[in-house]
Coordinates of all heavy atoms in Angstrom, one line a residue:
M22 N 0.8 -1.2 0.0 CA 0.0 0.0 0.0 C 0.9 1.3 0.0 O 0.6 2.2 -0.7 CB -0.9 0.0 1.2 CG -2.2 -0.8 1.0 SD -3.2 -0.4 -0.4 CE -4.1 1.1 0.2
E23 N 1.9 1.2 0.8 CA 2.8 2.4 0.8 C 3.5 2.7 -0.5 O 3.6 3.8 -0.9 CB 3.9 2.2 1.9 CG 3.6 3.0 3.1 CD 4.7 2.8 4.2 OE1 5.8 2.8 3.8 OE2 4.3 2.7 5.4
M24 N 3.9 1.6 -1.2 CA 4.5 1.8 -2.5 C 3.6 2.4 -3.5 O 3.9 3.3 -4.3 CB 4.9 0.4 -3.0 CG 5.8 0.4 -4.2 SD 7.4 1.2 -4.0 CE 8.0 1.3 -5.7
L25 N 2.3 1.9 -3.5 CA 1.3 2.5 -4.4 C 1.1 4.0 -4.1 O 0.9 4.8 -5.1 CB 0.0 1.7 -4.2 CG -1.1 1.8 -5.3 CD1 -0.6 1.1 -6.6 CD2 -2.4 1.3 -4.9
G26 N 1.1 4.3 -2.8 CA 0.9 5.7 -2.5 C 2.0 6.6 -3.0 O 1.8 7.7 -3.5
F27 N 3.2 6.1 -2.9 CA 4.4 6.7 -3.4 C 4.3 6.9 -4.9 O 4.6 8.0 -5.5 CB 5.7 6.0 -3.0 CG 7.0 6.6 -3.6 CD1 7.4 7.8 -3.0 CD2 7.7 5.9 -4.6 CE1 8.6 8.3 -3.5 CE2 8.8 6.5 -5.1 CZ 9.3 7.7 -4.6
L28 N 3.9 5.9 -5.6 CA 3.8 5.9 -7.1 C 2.8 7.0 -7.5 O 3.0 7.7 -8.5 CB 3.4 4.6 -7.7 CG 4.6 3.6 -7.8 CD1 4.1 2.2 -8.2 CD2 5.6 4.1 -8.8
R29 N 1.7 7.0 -6.7 CA 0.7 8.0 -7.0 C 1.2 9.4 -6.9 O 0.9 10.3 -7.7 CB -0.5 7.8 -6.1 CG -1.5 6.9 -6.6 CD -2.7 6.8 -5.7 NE -3.7 5.8 -6.1 CZ -4.8 5.5 -5.4 NH1 -5.0 6.1 -4.3 NH2 -5.6 4.6 -5.9
F30 N 2.0 9.6 -5.8 CA 2.6 10.9 -5.5 C 3.6 11.3 -6.7 O 3.5 12.4 -7.2 CB 3.4 10.8 -4.2 CG 4.2 12.1 -4.0 CD1 3.6 13.3 -3.6 CD2 5.6 12.1 -4.1 CE1 4.4 14.4 -3.4 CE2 6.3 13.2 -3.9 CZ 5.7 14.4 -3.6
V31 N 4.4 10.3 -7.1 CA 5.3 10.6 -8.3 C 4.5 11.0 -9.5 O 4.9 11.9 -10.2 CB 6.2 9.3 -8.5 CG1 7.0 9.5 -9.8 CG2 7.2 9.2 -7.3
L32 N 3.5 10.2 -9.8 CA 2.7 10.4 -11.0 C 2.1 11.8 -10.9 O 2.1 12.6 -11.9 CB 1.6 9.4 -11.1 CG 0.9 9.2 -12.4 CD1 1.9 8.6 -13.4 CD2 -0.3 8.4 -12.3
F33 N 1.5 12.2 -9.7 CA 0.9 13.5 -9.5 C 1.9 14.6 -9.8 O 1.7 15.6 -10.4 CB 0.3 13.6 -8.1 CG -0.3 14.9 -7.9 CD1 -1.6 15.3 -8.4 CD2 0.4 15.8 -7.1 CE1 -2.1 16.5 -8.1 CE2 -0.2 17.1 -6.8 CZ -1.4 17.4 -7.3
A34 N 3.1 14.4 -9.2 CA 4.2 15.4 -9.3 C 4.6 15.5 -10.8 O 4.9 16.7 -11.3 CB 5.4 15.0 -8.5
L35 N 4.7 14.4 -11.5 CA 5.0 14.4 -12.9 C 4.0 15.2 -13.8 O 4.4 16.1 -14.6 CB 5.1 13.0 -13.4 CG 5.9 12.8 -14.7 CD1 7.4 13.0 -14.5 CD2 5.7 11.4 -15.3
I36 N 2.7 14.9 -13.5 CA 1.6 15.6 -14.2 C 1.7 17.1 -13.9 O 1.6 18.0 -14.8 CB 0.3 15.0 -13.9 CG1 0.1 13.6 -14.5 CG2 -0.9 15.9 -14.3 CD1 -1.0 12.7 -13.9
A37 N 1.9 17.5 -12.6 CA 2.0 18.9 -12.2 C 3.1 19.6 -12.9 O 3.0 20.7 -13.4 CB 2.1 19.0 -10.7
Y38 N 4.3 18.9 -13.0 CA 5.4 19.4 -13.7 C 5.2 19.6 -15.2 O 5.6 20.7 -15.7 CB 6.6 18.4 -13.5 CG 7.9 18.8 -14.2 CD1 8.6 19.9 -13.7 CD2 8.3 18.2 -15.3 CE1 9.8 20.3 -14.3 CE2 9.5 18.6 -15.9 CZ 10.3 19.6 -15.4 OH 11.4 20.0 -16.0
I39 N 4.5 18.7 -15.8 CA 4.2 18.8 -17.3 C 3.3 20.0 -17.5 O 3.5 20.8 -18.4 CB 3.6 17.5 -17.8 CG1 4.7 16.4 -17.9 CG2 3.0 17.7 -19.2 CD1 4.2 15.0 -18.0
I40 N 2.3 20.1 -16.6 CA 1.3 21.2 -16.7 C 2.1 22.6 -16.6 O 1.9 23.5 -17.4 CB 0.1 21.1 -15.7 CG1 -0.8 19.9 -16.1 CG2 -0.7 22.4 -15.6 CD1 -1.7 19.5 -15.1
Y41 N 2.9 22.6 -15.6 CA 3.7 23.8 -15.3 C 4.6 24.2 -16.5 O 4.6 25.3 -16.9 CB 4.6 23.5 -14.1 CG 5.7 24.6 -13.8 CD1 5.3 25.8 -13.3 CD2 7.0 24.3 -14.0 CE1 6.3 26.8 -13.1 CE2 8.0 25.3 -13.8 CZ 7.6 26.5 -13.3 OH 8.5 27.5 -13.1
K42 N 5.2 23.2 -17.1 CA 6.1 23.4 -18.3 C 5.2 23.9 -19.5 O 5.7 24.8 -20.2 CB 6.8 22.1 -18.7 CG 8.1 21.9 -17.9 CD 9.2 22.7 -18.5 CE 10.5 22.5 -17.8 NZ 11.6 23.4 -18.2
T43 N 4.1 23.2 -19.7 CA 3.2 23.6 -20.8 C 2.7 25.0 -20.7 O 2.8 25.8 -21.6 CB 2.0 22.7 -20.8 OG1 2.4 21.3 -20.8 CG2 1.1 22.9 -22.0
I44 N 2.4 25.5 -19.4 CA 1.9 26.8 -19.2 C 3.1 27.8 -19.5 O 2.9 28.8 -20.2 CB 1.4 27.0 -17.8 CG1 0.0 26.3 -17.6 CG2 1.3 28.5 -17.4 CD1 -0.4 26.1 -16.2
R45 N 4.3 27.4 -19.1 CA 5.5 28.3 -19.4 C 5.7 28.5 -20.9 O 6.0 29.6 -21.3 CB 6.7 27.7 -18.7 CG 6.8 28.1 -17.3 CD 8.2 27.8 -16.7 NE 9.2 28.6 -17.4 CZ 10.3 29.1 -16.9 NH1 10.5 28.9 -15.6 NH2 11.2 29.8 -17.5
V46 N 5.6 27.3 -21.6 CA 5.8 27.4 -23.0 C 4.7 28.2 -23.7 O 5.0 29.0 -24.6 CB 5.9 25.9 -23.6 CG1 5.8 26.0 -25.1 CG2 7.1 25.2 -23.2
Y47 N 3.5 28.0 -23.2 CA 2.4 28.7 -23.8 C 2.5 30.2 -23.5 O 2.3 31.0 -24.5 CB 1.1 28.2 -23.1 CG -0.2 29.0 -23.5 CD1 -0.7 28.7 -24.8 CD2 -0.8 29.9 -22.7 CE1 -1.8 29.4 -25.2 CE2 -1.9 30.6 -23.1 CZ -2.4 30.4 -24.3 OH -3.5 31.0 -24.8
H48 N 3.0 30.6 -22.4 CA 3.2 32.0 -22.0 C 4.3 32.6 -22.9 O 4.2 33.7 -23.4 CB 3.6 32.2 -20.6 CG 2.4 32.4 -19.7 ND1 2.0 33.7 -19.4 CD2 1.5 31.6 -19.1 CE1 0.9 33.6 -18.6 NE2 0.6 32.3 -18.5
A49 N 5.4 31.8 -23.1 CA 6.5 32.3 -24.0 C 6.0 32.5 -25.4 O 6.4 33.5 -26.0 CB 7.6 31.3 -23.9
L50 N 5.1 31.6 -25.9 CA 4.6 31.7 -27.3 C 3.7 32.9 -27.4 O 3.8 33.7 -28.4 CB 3.9 30.4 -27.7 CG 4.8 29.2 -28.0 CD1 3.9 28.0 -28.1 CD2 5.6 29.5 -29.2
T51 N 2.8 33.1 -26.5 CA 1.9 34.3 -26.6 C 2.6 35.6 -26.4 O 2.2 36.6 -27.0 CB 0.8 34.2 -25.5 OG1 1.3 34.0 -24.3 CG2 -0.2 33.0 -25.9
Q52 N 3.7 35.6 -25.6 CA 4.4 36.8 -25.4 C 5.2 37.2 -26.7 O 5.3 38.3 -27.0 CB 5.5 36.6 -24.3 CG 5.6 37.8 -23.4 CD 5.1 37.6 -22.0 OE1 5.5 36.7 -21.4 NE2 4.1 38.4 -21.6
K53 N 5.7 36.1 -27.4 CA 6.4 36.4 -28.6 C 5.5 36.9 -29.8 O 5.9 37.7 -30.5 CB 7.2 35.1 -29.1 CG 8.6 35.0 -28.5 CD 9.3 33.7 -29.0 CE 10.6 33.6 -28.4 NZ 11.3 32.3 -28.9
S54 N 4.3 36.3 -29.8 CA 3.4 36.6 -31.0 C 2.7 38.0 -30.7 O 2.2 38.5 -31.7 CB 2.4 35.5 -31.2 OG 1.6 35.4 -30.0
H55 N 2.8 38.5 -29.5 CA 2.1 39.7 -29.2 C 2.6 41.0 -29.9 O 1.8 41.7 -30.4 CB 2.1 39.9 -27.7 CG 0.9 40.8 -27.2 ND1 -0.4 40.3 -27.2 CD2 0.9 42.0 -26.8 CE1 -1.1 41.3 -26.8 NE2 -0.4 42.3 -26.5
P56 N 3.9 41.2 -29.9 CA 4.3 42.5 -30.5 C 4.2 42.6 -32.0 O 4.5 43.6 -32.6 CB 5.8 42.6 -30.2 CG 6.1 41.4 -29.2 CD 5.1 40.4 -29.5
S57 N 3.7 41.5 -32.7 CA 3.6 41.6 -34.2 C 2.5 42.6 -34.6 O 1.5 42.7 -34.0 CB 3.2 40.2 -34.7 OG 2.0 39.8 -34.2
P58 N 2.8 43.5 -35.5 CA 1.9 44.6 -35.9 C 0.6 44.0 -36.5 O 0.6 43.1 -37.3 CB 2.7 45.4 -36.9 CG 3.8 44.5 -37.4 CD 4.0 43.5 -36.4
K59 N -0.5 44.6 -36.1 CA -1.8 44.2 -36.6 C -2.2 45.0 -37.8 O -3.2 44.6 -38.5 CB -2.9 44.4 -35.5 CG -3.0 43.2 -34.6 CD -4.2 43.4 -33.6 CE -4.4 42.1 -32.8 NZ -5.6 42.3 -31.9
S60 N -1.5 46.0 -38.1 CA -1.9 46.9 -39.2 C -1.9 46.3 -40.6 O -2.7 46.6 -41.4 CB -1.0 48.1 -39.2 OG 0.4 47.7 -39.4
E61 N -1.0 45.3 -40.8 CA -0.9 44.6 -42.1 C -2.0 43.6 -42.3 O -1.8 42.4 -42.0 CB 0.5 44.0 -42.3 CG 1.5 45.0 -42.5 CD 2.2 45.0 -43.9 OE1 1.7 44.3 -44.8 OE2 3.2 45.6 -44.0
Q62 N -3.2 44.0 -42.7 CA -4.3 43.0 -42.9 C -4.4 42.6 -44.3 O -5.0 41.6 -44.7 CB -5.6 43.6 -42.4 CG -5.7 43.6 -40.9 CD -7.0 44.1 -40.4 OE1 -7.7 44.9 -41.0 NE2 -7.3 43.8 -39.2
T63 N -3.8 43.4 -45.2 CA -3.8 43.1 -46.6 C -2.7 42.1 -47.0 O -1.8 41.9 -46.2 CB -3.7 44.4 -47.5 OG1 -2.4 45.0 -47.2 CG2 -4.8 45.3 -47.3
S64 N -2.7 41.6 -48.2 CA -1.7 40.6 -48.6 C -0.4 41.3 -48.8 O 0.7 40.6 -48.9 CB -2.2 39.9 -49.9 OG -2.3 40.9 -50.9
G65 N -0.4 42.6 -48.9 CA 0.8 43.4 -49.1 C 1.3 43.4 -50.6 O 2.3 44.0 -50.9
L66 N 0.5 42.8 -51.4 CA 0.8 42.8 -52.9 C 0.4 44.1 -53.6 O -0.8 44.5 -53.4 CB 0.1 41.6 -53.5 CG 0.7 41.0 -54.7 CD1 2.0 40.2 -54.3 CD2 -0.3 40.1 -55.4
M67 N 1.3 44.6 -54.3 CA 1.0 45.9 -55.0 C 0.9 45.6 -56.5 O 1.7 44.9 -57.0 CB 2.1 46.9 -54.7 CG 2.3 47.3 -53.2 SD 0.9 48.1 -52.5 CE 1.3 49.8 -53.0
V68 N 0.0 46.3 -57.1 CA -0.2 46.2 -58.5 C -0.1 47.5 -59.2 O -0.3 48.6 -58.5 CB -1.5 45.5 -58.9 CG1 -1.5 44.0 -58.5 CG2 -2.7 46.2 -58.3
K69 N 0.3 47.5 -60.4 CA 0.5 48.8 -61.1 C -0.7 49.2 -62.0 O -1.2 48.3 -62.8 CB 1.8 48.8 -61.9 CG 2.3 50.2 -62.3 CD 3.4 50.1 -63.3 CE 3.9 51.5 -63.8 NZ 4.8 51.4 -64.9
D70 N -1.1 50.4 -61.9 CA -2.0 51.0 -62.8 C -1.2 51.6 -64.0 O -0.5 52.6 -63.8 CB -2.9 52.0 -62.1 CG -3.9 52.7 -63.0 OD1 -3.7 52.7 -64.2 OD2 -4.8 53.3 -62.4
N71 N -1.3 51.0 -65.2 CA -0.5 51.5 -66.3 C -1.0 52.8 -66.9 O -0.3 53.4 -67.7 CB -0.4 50.4 -67.4 CG 0.5 49.2 -67.0 OD1 1.6 49.5 -66.6 ND2 0.0 48.0 -67.1
V72 N -2.2 53.2 -66.5 CA -2.7 54.4 -67.1 C -2.1 55.6 -66.4 O -1.6 56.5 -67.1 CB -4.3 54.4 -67.0 CG1 -4.9 55.7 -67.5 CG2 -4.9 53.2 -67.8
C73 N -2.2 55.7 -65.1 CA -1.7 56.8 -64.4 C -0.3 56.5 -63.6 O 0.2 57.3 -62.9 CB -2.7 57.4 -63.4 SG -3.3 56.2 -62.2
N74 N 0.2 55.3 -63.9 CA 1.5 54.9 -63.4 C 1.6 54.9 -61.9 O 2.6 55.3 -61.3 CB 2.6 55.7 -64.0 CG 2.9 55.3 -65.4 OD1 3.0 54.1 -65.7 ND2 2.9 56.2 -66.3
T75 N 0.5 54.5 -61.2 CA 0.6 54.4 -59.7 C 0.5 53.0 -59.3 O -0.1 52.1 -60.0 CB -0.6 55.2 -59.1 OG1 -1.8 54.8 -59.7 CG2 -0.4 56.7 -59.3
Y76 N 1.0 52.7 -58.1 CA 0.9 51.4 -57.5 C -0.1 51.5 -56.4 O -0.2 52.5 -55.7 CB 2.3 51.0 -56.9 CG 3.3 50.6 -58.0 CD1 4.1 51.6 -58.6 CD2 3.4 49.3 -58.4 CE1 5.0 51.3 -59.6 CE2 4.3 49.0 -59.4 CZ 5.1 49.9 -60.0 OH 6.0 49.6 -60.9
L77 N -0.9 50.4 -56.3 CA -1.9 50.4 -55.3 C -2.1 48.9 -54.8 O -1.7 48.0 -55.5 CB -3.2 50.9 -55.8 CG -4.0 50.2 -56.9 CD1 -5.4 50.5 -56.9 CD2 -3.4 50.7 -58.3
P78 N -2.6 48.7 -53.6 CA -2.8 47.4 -53.1 C -3.8 46.6 -54.0 O -4.8 47.2 -54.5 CB -3.4 47.5 -51.7 CG -3.1 49.0 -51.3 CD -3.1 49.7 -52.6
K79 N -3.5 45.3 -54.2 CA -4.3 44.5 -55.1 C -5.7 44.5 -54.7 O -6.6 44.4 -55.6 CB -3.7 43.1 -55.1 CG -4.1 42.3 -56.3 CD -3.5 40.9 -56.3 CE -4.0 40.1 -57.5 NZ -3.4 38.7 -57.5
E80 N -6.0 44.5 -53.4 CA -7.4 44.5 -52.9 C -8.2 45.7 -53.3 O -9.4 45.6 -53.5 CB -7.4 44.4 -51.3 CG -7.0 43.1 -50.8 CD -5.5 42.8 -50.8 OE1 -4.7 43.7 -51.1 OE2 -5.1 41.7 -50.4
D81 N -7.5 46.8 -53.5 CA -8.2 48.1 -53.9 C -8.3 48.3 -55.4 O -9.0 49.2 -55.8 CB -7.5 49.3 -53.3 CG -7.5 49.2 -51.8 OD1 -8.3 48.5 -51.2 OD2 -6.6 49.9 -51.1
A82 N -7.6 47.5 -56.1 CA -7.5 47.7 -57.6 C -8.7 47.1 -58.3 O -9.3 46.1 -57.8 CB -6.2 47.1 -58.1
I83 N -9.0 47.6 -59.5 CA -10.1 47.1 -60.3 C -9.4 46.2 -61.3 O -8.5 46.6 -62.0 CB -10.8 48.2 -61.1 CG1 -11.6 49.1 -60.1 CG2 -11.8 47.7 -62.1 CD1 -11.9 50.5 -60.6
K84 N -9.8 44.9 -61.3 CA -9.2 43.9 -62.1 C -9.9 43.8 -63.5 O -11.1 43.8 -63.5 CB -9.2 42.6 -61.4 CG -8.3 41.5 -62.0 CD -8.3 40.3 -61.2 CE -8.3 39.0 -62.0 NZ -8.4 37.8 -61.2
E85 N -9.1 43.7 -64.5 CA -9.7 43.6 -65.8 C -8.9 42.6 -66.6 O -7.6 42.7 -66.6 CB -9.7 44.9 -66.5 CG -10.4 44.9 -67.9 CD -11.9 44.8 -67.8 OE1 -12.5 45.4 -66.9 OE2 -12.5 44.2 -68.7
I86 N -9.5 41.6 -67.2 CA -8.7 40.6 -68.0 C -8.9 41.0 -69.5 O -10.0 41.0 -70.0 CB -9.1 39.2 -67.7 CG1 -8.8 38.8 -66.3 CG2 -8.4 38.2 -68.7 CD1 -9.5 37.6 -65.7
I87 N -7.7 41.4 -70.1 CA -7.7 41.8 -71.5 C -6.7 40.9 -72.2 O -5.6 40.8 -71.8 CB -7.3 43.3 -71.7 CG1 -8.2 44.2 -70.8 CG2 -7.3 43.7 -73.1 CD1 -7.6 45.5 -70.4
D88 N -7.2 40.2 -73.3 CA -6.4 39.2 -74.0 C -5.8 38.2 -73.1 O -4.6 37.8 -73.3 CB -5.4 40.0 -74.9 CG -6.0 41.0 -75.9 OD1 -7.1 40.7 -76.3 OD2 -5.3 42.0 -76.2
G89 N -6.5 37.7 -72.1 CA -6.0 36.7 -71.2 C -5.0 37.2 -70.2 O -4.5 36.4 -69.4
K90 N -4.7 38.5 -70.2 CA -3.8 39.0 -69.2 C -4.6 39.9 -68.2 O -5.6 40.5 -68.5 CB -2.8 40.0 -69.9 CG -1.6 39.2 -70.5 CD -0.6 40.2 -71.0 CE 0.7 39.6 -71.5 NZ 1.7 40.6 -71.9
E91 N -4.0 39.8 -67.0 CA -4.7 40.6 -65.9 C -4.1 42.0 -65.9 O -2.9 42.2 -65.9 CB -4.4 39.9 -64.5 CG -5.2 38.7 -64.2 CD -5.0 38.1 -62.9 OE1 -4.0 38.5 -62.2 OE2 -5.8 37.3 -62.4
F92 N -5.0 43.0 -65.8 CA -4.7 44.4 -65.7 C -5.4 44.9 -64.5 O -6.5 44.5 -64.2 CB -5.1 45.1 -67.0 CG -4.2 44.8 -68.2 CD1 -4.6 43.7 -69.0 CD2 -3.1 45.5 -68.4 CE1 -3.8 43.4 -70.1 CE2 -2.3 45.2 -69.5 CZ -2.7 44.1 -70.4
F93 N -4.7 45.9 -63.8 CA -5.2 46.5 -62.6 C -5.3 48.0 -62.8 O -4.4 48.6 -63.3 CB -4.4 46.1 -61.4 CG -4.4 44.6 -61.1 CD1 -3.4 43.8 -61.6 CD2 -5.5 44.1 -60.4 CE1 -3.5 42.4 -61.4 CE2 -5.5 42.7 -60.2 CZ -4.5 41.9 -60.7
F94 N -6.4 48.5 -62.3 CA -6.6 50.0 -62.4 C -7.0 50.5 -61.0 O -7.7 49.9 -60.3 CB -7.7 50.3 -63.5 CG -7.3 49.7 -64.8 CD1 -7.9 48.5 -65.2 CD2 -6.4 50.3 -65.6 CE1 -7.6 47.9 -66.4 CE2 -6.1 49.7 -66.9 CZ -6.7 48.6 -67.3
C95 N -6.7 51.8 -60.8 CA -7.0 52.5 -59.5 C -8.4 52.9 -59.5 O -9.0 53.0 -58.4 CB -6.0 53.6 -59.3 SG -6.3 55.0 -60.4
S96 N -9.0 53.2 -60.7 CA -10.4 53.6 -60.7 C -11.0 53.2 -62.0 O -10.4 52.8 -63.0 CB -10.4 55.2 -60.6 OG -9.7 55.7 -61.7
Q97 N -12.4 53.4 -62.1 CA -13.1 53.1 -63.3 C -12.7 54.0 -64.4 O -12.7 53.6 -65.6 CB -14.6 53.2 -63.0 CG -15.2 52.1 -62.2 CD -15.3 50.8 -62.9 OE1 -15.2 50.7 -64.1 NE2 -15.5 49.7 -62.1
E98 N -12.3 55.2 -64.1 CA -11.9 56.2 -65.0 C -10.6 55.6 -65.8 O -10.6 55.7 -67.0 CB -11.5 57.5 -64.3 CG -11.8 58.7 -65.2 CD -11.4 60.0 -64.4 OE1 -11.7 60.1 -63.2 OE2 -10.7 60.8 -65.1
C99 N -9.7 55.2 -65.0 CA -8.4 54.6 -65.6 C -8.7 53.4 -66.5 O -8.1 53.2 -67.5 CB -7.4 54.3 -64.6 SG -6.6 55.8 -63.9
R100 N -9.6 52.6 -66.0 CA -10.0 51.4 -66.7 C -10.6 51.7 -68.0 O -10.3 51.1 -69.1 CB -11.0 50.6 -65.8 CG -11.5 49.3 -66.5 CD -12.5 48.6 -65.6 NE -13.3 47.7 -66.3 CZ -14.5 48.0 -66.9 NH1 -15.0 49.2 -66.9 NH2 -15.1 47.0 -67.6
Q101 N -11.5 52.7 -68.0 CA -12.1 53.2 -69.3 C -11.1 53.8 -70.3 O -11.2 53.5 -71.4 CB -13.2 54.2 -68.9 CG -14.5 53.7 -68.5 CD -15.2 52.8 -69.5 OE1 -15.2 53.1 -70.7 NE2 -15.8 51.7 -69.0
K102 N -10.2 54.5 -69.7 CA -9.1 55.2 -70.5 C -8.3 54.1 -71.2 O -8.0 54.2 -72.4 CB -8.2 56.0 -69.6 CG -8.6 57.5 -69.5 CD -7.6 58.2 -68.8 CE -8.1 59.6 -68.2 NZ -7.2 60.2 -67.4
Y103 N -8.0 53.0 -70.4 CA -7.2 52.0 -71.0 C -8.0 51.2 -72.1 O -7.4 51.0 -73.2 CB -6.7 51.0 -69.9 CG -5.7 50.0 -70.4 CD1 -4.4 50.3 -70.6 CD2 -6.1 48.7 -70.8 CE1 -3.5 49.4 -71.1 CE2 -5.2 47.8 -71.3 CZ -3.9 48.1 -71.4 OH -3.0 47.2 -71.9
L104 N -9.2 50.9 -71.8 CA -10.1 50.2 -72.8 C -10.2 51.1 -74.1 O -10.3 50.5 -75.2 CB -11.4 49.9 -72.2 CG -11.4 48.8 -71.1 CD1 -12.7 48.7 -70.4 CD2 -10.9 47.5 -71.6
E105 N -10.3 52.4 -73.9 CA -10.5 53.3 -75.1 C -9.2 53.3 -75.9 O -9.3 53.2 -77.1 CB -10.7 54.7 -74.6 CG -12.1 54.9 -74.0 CD -13.2 54.8 -75.0 OE1 -13.2 55.4 -76.1 OE2 -14.2 54.1 -74.7
S106 N -8.0 53.3 -75.2 CA -6.8 53.3 -75.9 C -6.5 52.0 -76.7 O -5.7 52.0 -77.6 CB -5.6 53.6 -74.9 OG -5.4 52.4 -74.1
K107 N -7.1 50.9 -76.2 CA -6.9 49.6 -76.9 C -7.7 49.5 -78.2 O -7.4 48.7 -79.1 CB -7.4 48.5 -76.0 CG -6.5 48.2 -74.8 CD -5.2 47.4 -75.2 CE -5.6 45.9 -75.5 NZ -4.3 45.2 -75.8
K108 N -8.7 50.4 -78.4 CA -9.5 50.3 -79.6 C -8.8 50.9 -80.8 O -8.1 51.8 -80.7 CB -10.9 51.0 -79.3 CG -11.8 50.2 -78.5 CD -13.1 50.9 -78.2 CE -13.9 50.1 -77.2 NZ -15.1 50.9 -76.7
Ligands
ZN209 ZN1 -5.2 55.2 -62.3

């Protein structure tokens, strides 16, 4: 009976140690990931508007497929200008 009690104690101590270690690792991970800037929500990919020669985020650009190629424009105005010039 005494041996069993000792084993239980060792097992309990081991589990407590593992939990303690896990919490420490978890804290270290959350601390490291915390300072990362939240501002970058976009993909960061920039595309060029060939009409007015400006770069803008892909998310904000107007996409147009002309002759199987992707073109990006900052506004409908630039898109129209490009389409007019193609004619
Ligand atoms: Zn433009």
Side-chain angles (χ1 to χ4, degrees):
M22 278 304 280
E23 254 183 43
M24 189 62 190
L25 198 71
F27 177 70
L28 280 173
R29 271 187 185 173
F30 171 76
V31 169
L32 198 71
F33 178 79
L35 198 73
I36 290 163
Y38 179 73
I39 289 163
I40 291 165
Y41 171 72
K42 275 280 181 187
T43 307
I44 289 165
R45 273 194 65 142
V46 168
Y47 178 74
H48 269 266
L50 285 172
T51 51
Q52 219 112 56
K53 269 184 183 176
S54 64
H55 205 72
S57 63
K59 273 187 172 180
S60 57
E61 287 245 12
Q62 284 183 337
T63 59
S64 61
L66 207 73
M67 299 294 275
V68 291
K69 196 189 177 189
D70 177 340
N71 285 311
V72 178
C73 60
N74 288 309
T75 52
Y76 286 89
L77 65 153
K79 200 178 178 181
E80 285 80 5
D81 298 338
I83 296 160
K84 191 175 142 186
E85 184 74 35
I86 295 162
I87 304 155
D88 300 329
K90 276 187 175 182
E91 281 183 348
F92 290 88
F93 296 95
F94 305 99
C95 69
S96 63
Q97 286 291 342
E98 209 183 316
C99 283
R100 179 181 161 269
Q101 280 299 320
K102 270 186 197 174
Y103 188 79
L104 292 172
E105 291 293 313
S106 72
K107 285 284 284 181
K108 279 175 189 172

